[in-house]
Amino acid sequence: MQRGKFVIPFSQLRMADVESVGGKNASLGEMLSQLHAAGIRVPDGFATTAEAFRMFLAHDGLRERVRMRLDGLDVDDVGALAMTGKEIRGWIASAPLPGELRSEIVNIFKSLTSDSSSDVSFAVRSSATAEDLPDASFAGQQETFLNVTGIDAVLARIRQVFASLYNDRAIAYRVHKGFAHADVALSAGVQKMVRSDLGSSGVVFTMDTESGFRDVVFITSSYGLGETVVQGAVNPDEFYVHKPMLQAGKFSILRRSLGSKLIKMEFDSGDSNVRTVDVADKDRHSFSLSDAEVLELARYAVIIEQHYGRAMDIEWGKDQDGSIYILQARPETVKSQSNANAQQRFRLLGNSQVLVTGRAIGQKIGIGPVRIIHSVAHMEEVNPGDVLVTDMTDPNWEPVMKRAAAIVTNRGGRTCHAAIIARELGIPAVVGCETATEDLTEGSVVTVSCAEGDTGNVYAGALEMEVETVQQGALPPIAVKIMMNVGNPSLAFEFQSLPNDGVGLARLEFIINNAIGVHPKAVLDYPNLEPDLKHAVEALAHGYANPRAFFEAKLAEGISTIAAAFWPKPVIVRLSDFKSNEYKKLIGGSRYEPDEENPMLGFRGAARYLADSFRECFRMEAAALKKVRDEMGLTNVEIMVPFVRTLTEARGVIDLLAAHGLARGSNDLRVIMMCEVPSNAVLADQFLDYFDGFSIGSNDLTQLTLGLDRDSGLVAEGFDERDPAVKALLKTAISACLARGKYIGICGQGPSDHADFAEWLMEQGIESMSLNPDTVVETWQRLARAA
């Protein structure tokens, strides 16, 4: 294909051509030519130039009419904006393409299709010359036309793309970003289509979109053409891949979340060229990408990121033959531009009924009255401070989205339009709620929280909250390592940005309770369960080979997410420490758990793992830990055994772990014991024969030393880790570990609550303190001052 004055083949474009063909088209040419040898597939095509667009506008004084019409326009006046945009688009639609431009398009189209079948189809997309720059995202503002066949249809769609530079949302965005209208021209990209209508498609970010964590690739995927994912019409599957382990050749998929994927877009022979159809139940309950495809796509994303030297936002499609193609790549423009030295942390202080839940976008909290908007025709009803609730948004909503205190949608995933714009505007959004427009009441005040992990919650009423500005950066050196207690894996990417020496306590109970939700024995007894329980287990295990595979995979995902977030720092994972009353709350739990008078002193910890009735359940925990360390390469994971009452239990658990492939010292594995029973301190030296160190659980140790039930308000006043008896046991345990050169840390609440206690522990020579994340910086600074 020959390069013309007004039309250029993708193969001859480079990033140096941004001013001529816009960032999107220049990037396609860059990847097509420069990354082909690395295995990156990009469909071929061509682009019209900015000069072609300007020549088109110069016809019959069109440019001057447009300029005069836009002068003085108040883009915040939604009615005036709509009227102006419609009028300008009408002018452009009625203007003919100049003959020279038309001739070049026809010739290059013939060349492009000369060796293709007669039914080859094209996507015609916009690429603004100020688009996809590192500090601005014009994504989705101009039109995209899919399954365009034949030169006449391509010519018509190019004119429609030109007109879309004056869509309402595009006009408003340019004003808000400070771009002069005349400085932005439009290039039309005409690209061969991948038959992802017969496969799947989606979006990739080379960082975590919510926290800005750079060591993961985040992938969304759904069946059919990718417009449903970008528009937010579906709740897609989600995948996280760990870059360091991907590059090390390990199995690096950290997390998989099954989306509902209710509809898909496919080719159609009608006027619109595409249609949406329902997805079969079997496909909804399966992942739209295999693990091998996820890893292939992640490798492509890393290659593209390394080539451009910045975080990228990538659209992809899988052809009917299984080949994965890159359809677009542009700089990520929100988290990569944020201030890394200061972060706002939002925290709820109250609680109320949860009305709806969905995917959390951002990490903020918004409060306001519900404003339900069913169509773009009524978007002017949104008032400043409203919580905008709708089925889904598209770029037409952009002019009013910035008024909202928060946004809630029925449909959409983390990479849909509503999510992208909410991040850019700094507004919390909860997407993919499915029934928000039905379950929320017009005018009622709600609290929209995106500050609790992956799940966004919409609460009834205005809840109290606090906002803290956390300054990042180096803290003064101190004589003790500061680690963190992390329960929720979905917060790990955020917490890793705090100053820390790793994770001193990662709780398996949180993963079992929130990501799994079913009793391990119900998983093992499947399918021999009563109908209701069997159905519940099946529903949870959709997308996995069987319920046992689901249980082990979800455990591994939670553990590996925390381990990857803090890699290569140590992450001490405590084996499950549910009491019988807590296990009973899981699905099926009442069928399996005993009624105990005092579960705190009952069937828990090492005694549970060693019991014949629980051994097969424990095998699943061990399998998950072994997968994370051996298959995924996250050898920073260490194991902590809770509530070991006797030396016999100590020996038994160590032997049991070894039998499951988790022997101390194997692949550098450390096994720590939680020192929380007085016998652990009294016989510290003998317990250390079996373990690589202690992590002090000061809550249980205080309770058992002083004979206090820490759950009883009647005696709560006497609970104090600083009591001389407790400190005597602590001193014994610390001294024993130091004498034998073994690890000694503390993961209880005491150091966070009592400054003098933290200082005393440091004086005793404790190696680490594991704190709740919200107390890390303050405690660190306090200990530095005391040193």
Side-chain angles (χ1 to χ4, degrees):
M1 291 185 287
Q2 295 298 313
R3 181 182 185 122
K5 183 179 180 182
F6 302 113
V7 181
I8 306 174
F10 284 166
S11 60
Q12 297 180 33
L13 291 172
R14 303 290 185 272
M15 286 309 297
D17 294 306
V18 168
E19 290 187 5
S20 179
V21 296
K24 188 182 301 178
N25 286 334
S27 179
L28 286 170
E30 178 81 10
M31 291 188 294
L32 188 66
S33 62
Q34 303 301 303
L35 297 181
H36 176 74
I40 305 296
R41 304 181 192 91
V42 178
D44 206 356
F46 62 87
T48 63
T49 63
E51 185 178 353
F53 178 76
R54 293 189 175 102
M55 178 181 70
F56 171 72
L57 280 189
H59 182 73
D60 279 348
L62 184 55
R63 180 189 293 112
E64 185 61 19
R65 278 191 288 160
V66 170
R67 185 193 65 77
M68 292 177 63
R69 191 68 182 85
L70 291 174
D71 279 353
L73 172 66
D74 179 4
V75 295
D76 292 325
D77 183 335
V78 177
L81 176 62
M83 185 181 301
T84 299
K86 182 179 180 181
E87 185 175 13
I88 293 174
R89 293 192 297 274
W91 295 341
I92 295 176
S94 63
L97 289 175
E100 191 177 357
L101 171 58
R102 189 182 191 282
S103 176
E104 284 195 19
I105 294 171
V106 170
N107 289 336
I108 201 168
F109 184 82
K110 285 180 180 178
S111 178
L112 187 62
T113 56
S114 61
D115 59 351
S116 302
S117 62
S118 59
D119 62 350
V120 64
S121 68
F122 292 84
V124 183
R125 295 187 173 94
S126 69
S127 183
T129 57
E131 184 178 17
D132 299 327
L133 302 179
D135 60 347
S137 173
F138 287 65
Q141 289 182 15
Q142 284 81 48
E143 297 297 339
T144 293
F145 301 98
L146 304 176
N147 191 25
V148 181
T149 57
I151 185 59
D152 291 338
V154 167
L155 290 167
R157 294 306 194 192
I158 287 174
R159 286 170 57 191
Q160 287 177 277
V161 163
F162 284 175
S164 72
L165 185 65
Y166 299 98
N167 281 337
D168 301 352
R169 72 260 190 180
I171 294 171
Y173 189 85
R174 289 195 293 273
V175 171
H176 292 141
K177 281 291 183 180
F179 290 101
H181 296 294
D183 291 345
V184 183
L186 206 65
S187 166
V190 179
Q191 184 180 40
K192 284 185 177 180
M193 284 208 68
V194 172
R195 290 303 304 265
S196 56
D197 62 313
L198 303 175
S200 55
S201 54
V203 178
V204 180
F205 281 86
T206 61
M207 65 191 303
D208 176 43
T209 54
E210 309 314 313
S211 66
F213 181 53
R214 295 296 297 268
D215 275 357
V216 289
V217 175
F218 174 53
I219 298 170
T220 60
S221 172
S222 194
Y223 299 114
L225 300 173
E227 291 301 295
T228 56
V229 176
V230 174
Q231 293 170 357
V234 295
N235 300 339
D237 300 331
E238 295 181 352
F239 308 87
Y240 282 95
V241 178
H242 188 220
K243 292 178 190 174
M245 290 304 121
L246 178 71
Q247 293 170 325
K250 296 290 187 177
F251 181 83
S252 50
I253 301 175
L254 300 176
R255 279 155 60 190
R256 305 191 304 167
S257 299
L258 190 68
S260 56
K261 307 183 297 293
L262 298 178
I263 61 171
K264 66 178 180 179
M265 183 178 287
E266 61 183 19
F267 284 11
D268 186 42
S269 57
D271 292 341
S272 66
N273 300 328
V274 293
R275 64 179 180 178
T276 56
V277 297
D278 291 340
V279 174
D281 281 347
K282 180 177 180 294
D283 291 335
R284 291 177 188 176
H285 297 152
S286 301
F287 286 101
S288 52
L289 285 176
S290 68
D291 287 350
E293 289 166 339
V294 170
L295 294 173
E296 179 186 0
L297 191 50
R299 282 191 286 269
Y300 291 169
V302 170
I303 290 168
I304 293 169
E305 179 182 52
Q306 290 174 344
H307 179 76
Y308 286 101
R310 58 169 63 105
M312 298 296 288
D313 168 359
I314 300 163
E315 293 183 24
W316 62 274
K318 185 177 76 169
D319 206 356
Q320 58 186 328
D321 67 359
S323 299
I324 293 175
Y325 287 81
I326 301 302
L327 309 180
Q328 293 183 39
R330 51 183 169 256
E332 193 279 339
T333 58
V334 179
K335 279 296 179 181
S336 58
Q337 303 295 314
S338 62
N339 180 4
N341 293 319
Q343 289 184 353
Q344 278 192 320
R345 296 193 185 276
F346 287 68
R347 185 168 61 170
L348 275 181
L349 301 179
N351 203 354
S352 69
Q353 179 187 0
V354 176
L355 303 175
V356 294
T357 64
R359 302 285 192 197
I361 305 302
Q363 295 162 330
K364 295 184 178 180
I365 298 170
I367 301 172
V370 169
R371 188 71 59 211
I372 301 174
I373 305 295
H374 292 288
S375 78
V376 70
H378 299 286
M379 67 180 182
E380 71 275 5
E381 297 173 11
V382 177
N383 298 312
D386 283 349
V387 172
L388 169 59
V389 180
T390 188
D391 183 50
M392 57 179 272
T393 71
D394 63 37
N396 289 306
W397 295 77
E398 221 161 283
V400 300
M401 289 173 73
K402 59 184 174 57
R403 300 179 188 173
I407 298 166
V408 181
T409 69
N410 290 338
R411 296 190 278 170
R414 293 187 204 282
T415 56
C416 72
H417 173 265
I420 290 170
I421 300 305
R423 285 189 202 99
E424 188 161 305
L425 296 174
I427 296 171
V430 180
V431 302
C433 298
E434 298 187 350
T435 58
T437 53
E438 300 171 19
D439 294 344
L440 300 180
T441 304
E442 177 77 12
S444 63
V445 174
V446 296
T447 298
V448 179
S449 173
C450 296
E452 300 167 88
D454 284 350
T455 300
N457 296 305
V458 181
Y459 295 93
L463 299 183
E464 188 178 354
M465 67 171 184
E466 67 177 13
V467 184
E468 177 188 13
T469 299
V470 179
Q471 295 294 331
Q472 307 291 85
L475 289 172
I478 53 178
V480 64
K481 294 177 181 176
I482 298 297
M483 305 176 82
M484 276 192 275
N485 301 332
V486 178
N488 186 347
S490 66
L491 291 174
F493 295 159
E494 176 190 356
F495 289 156
Q496 62 79 31
S497 65
L498 290 167
N500 71 85
D501 291 298
V503 175
L505 173 61
R507 303 179 179 93
L508 283 195
E509 307 91 75
F510 190 98
I511 301 168
I512 295 170
N513 196 49
N514 290 274
I516 297 172
V518 63
H519 196 284
K521 285 194 174 182
V523 166
L524 295 172
D525 285 349
Y526 178 87
N528 303 314
L529 303 168
E530 54 267 30
D532 287 350
L533 181 55
K534 180 182 176 184
H535 177 74
V537 172
E538 287 173 343
L540 287 167
H542 281 321
Y544 295 84
N546 52 60
R548 181 168 188 153
F550 159 76
F551 193 99
E552 291 179 5
K554 284 299 177 187
L555 264 184
E557 288 174 12
I559 296 165
S560 66
T561 296
I562 299 173
F566 291 86
W567 173 266
K569 299 171 184 174
V571 171
I572 300 175
V573 178
R574 184 177 70 186
L575 298 171
S576 62
D577 194 27
F578 275 133
K579 291 78 175 173
S580 56
N581 60 323
E582 295 167 335
Y583 260 124
K584 192 174 289 190
K585 295 175 184 177
L586 297 173
I587 295 171
S590 59
R591 171 177 173 165
Y592 298 106
E593 291 298 322
D595 292 318
E596 294 189 280
E597 289 295 329
N598 192 342
M600 192 80 74
L601 299 179
F603 192 42
R604 61 178 290 201
R608 183 181 276 264
Y609 313 146
L610 293 167
D612 290 339
S613 62
F614 199 79
R615 280 195 175 227
E616 198 61 26
C617 299
F618 184 74
R619 183 189 295 271
M620 291 193 290
E621 284 187 38
L625 283 159
K626 182 172 172 56
K627 177 181 179 179
V628 171
R629 285 182 48 83
D630 295 352
E631 294 180 34
M632 302 183 72
L634 293 165
T635 53
N636 60 327
V637 168
E638 302 178 355
I639 294 175
M640 180 156 66
V641 184
F643 223 76
V644 183
R645 294 177 171 97
T646 67
L647 295 171
T648 300
E649 287 183 354
R651 181 174 57 254
V653 170
I654 290 298
D655 290 346
L656 187 59
L657 285 170
H660 293 317
L662 294 168
R664 279 178 63 202
S666 175
N667 201 10
D668 296 323
L669 173 62
R670 285 204 312 182
V671 181
I672 309 297
M673 189 188 81
M674 202 156 184
C675 180
E676 55 189 338
V677 180
S679 61
N680 302 153
V682 172
L683 300 178
D685 197 54
Q686 295 176 64
F687 275 104
L688 287 172
D689 288 339
Y690 298 103
F691 296 98
D692 296 297
F694 289 164
S695 181
I696 295 164
S698 58
N699 294 342
D700 269 349
L701 186 62
T702 302
Q703 165 178 257
L704 296 173
T705 302
L706 300 181
L708 290 170
D709 181 354
R710 60 187 168 103
D711 289 338
S712 171
L714 298 174
V715 293
E717 205 171 298
F719 186 93
D720 192 337
E721 299 93 332
R722 298 166 297 178
D723 185 274
V726 179
K727 289 172 82 171
L729 290 177
L730 291 174
K731 187 177 181 65
T732 299
I734 294 170
S735 298
C737 289
L738 293 176
R740 296 186 60 168
K742 297 203 173 189
Y743 170 80
I744 179 63
I746 185 169
C747 58
Q749 187 66 25
S752 298
D753 291 345
H754 306 296
D756 57 336
F757 184 55
E759 292 168 17
W760 179 84
L761 288 167
M762 190 163 65
E763 291 168 2
Q764 303 310 304
I766 200 162
E767 182 178 336
S768 75
M769 298 183 200
S770 193
L771 311 172
N772 293 333
D774 58 347
T775 66
V776 164
V777 173
E778 179 186 353
T779 304
W780 191 314
Q781 292 173 334
R782 190 175 64 230
L783 290 172
R785 289 193 297 269

